[in-house]
Amino acid sequence: MPAGTLYRGREGMWSWVAHRVTGVLIFFFLFVHVLDTALVRVSPEAYDHVVATYKNPVVAVLEYGLVAAILFHALNGLRVIAVDFWSQGPRYQKQMLWSAVVVWLVLMIGALYPVLGHAFRQVFGS
């Protein structure tokens, strides 16, 4: 690491990067969602066709990724708020990050069946 650089490669930097990446991913999802929903005004048949393509196991995995991005972005955002507005926030930012990651992992494990259960049954049978 060059002397004088701001990059340290620690937890705070990686959470900053992950927060930006998840925010961009969520933005692109919302953009596509608005576009495909607007299709209903142009052609209801085209809209039905697009929605039918979403009933695909690959899309279910992408939906799980979307859930992961939204949950991480939300939990890390709450951590950022605590760091910014709580006087002791900067002192405990690392512990709050690891707490957010643990909560995120527990929620993601809990989301496995509800989000991917149908796709699993579709690929491997009931």
Side-chain angles (χ1 to χ4, degrees):
M1 170 178 12
T5 182
L6 293 176
Y7 179 74
R8 301 284 186 246
R10 302 292 311 217
E11 296 88 354
M13 182 62 75
W14 287 113
S15 69
W16 180 87
V17 170
H19 197 74
R20 271 47 178 193
V21 169
T22 56
V24 168
L25 291 173
I26 294 165
F27 171 79
F28 281 120
F29 163 76
L30 290 172
F31 181 72
V32 170
H33 179 65
V34 168
L35 286 179
D36 71 9
T37 303
L39 255 178
V40 79
R41 302 251 319 146
V42 176
S43 169
E45 296 80 24
Y47 173 78
D48 290 339
H49 178 71
V50 169
V51 170
T53 62
Y54 293 159
K55 295 176 173 53
N56 181 327
V58 174
V59 175
V61 172
L62 293 173
E63 287 175 343
Y64 188 73
L66 176 64
V67 169
I70 290 170
L71 277 175
F72 179 82
H73 195 80
L75 291 169
N76 193 52
L78 292 173
R79 182 190 71 84
V80 169
I81 290 169
V83 168
D84 286 346
F85 292 105
W86 179 37
S87 63
Q88 296 296 312
R91 181 176 179 192
Y92 295 107
Q93 69 92 16
K94 189 186 296 188
Q95 292 91 334
M96 287 189 291
L97 173 64
W98 289 115
S99 298
V101 168
V102 167
V103 169
W104 177 79
L105 282 171
V106 168
L107 291 173
M108 289 309 299
I109 290 168
L112 266 170
Y113 182 75
V115 177
L116 294 176
H118 177 71
F120 187 83
R121 287 188 301 277
Q122 194 174 6
V123 171
F124 298 108
S126 297

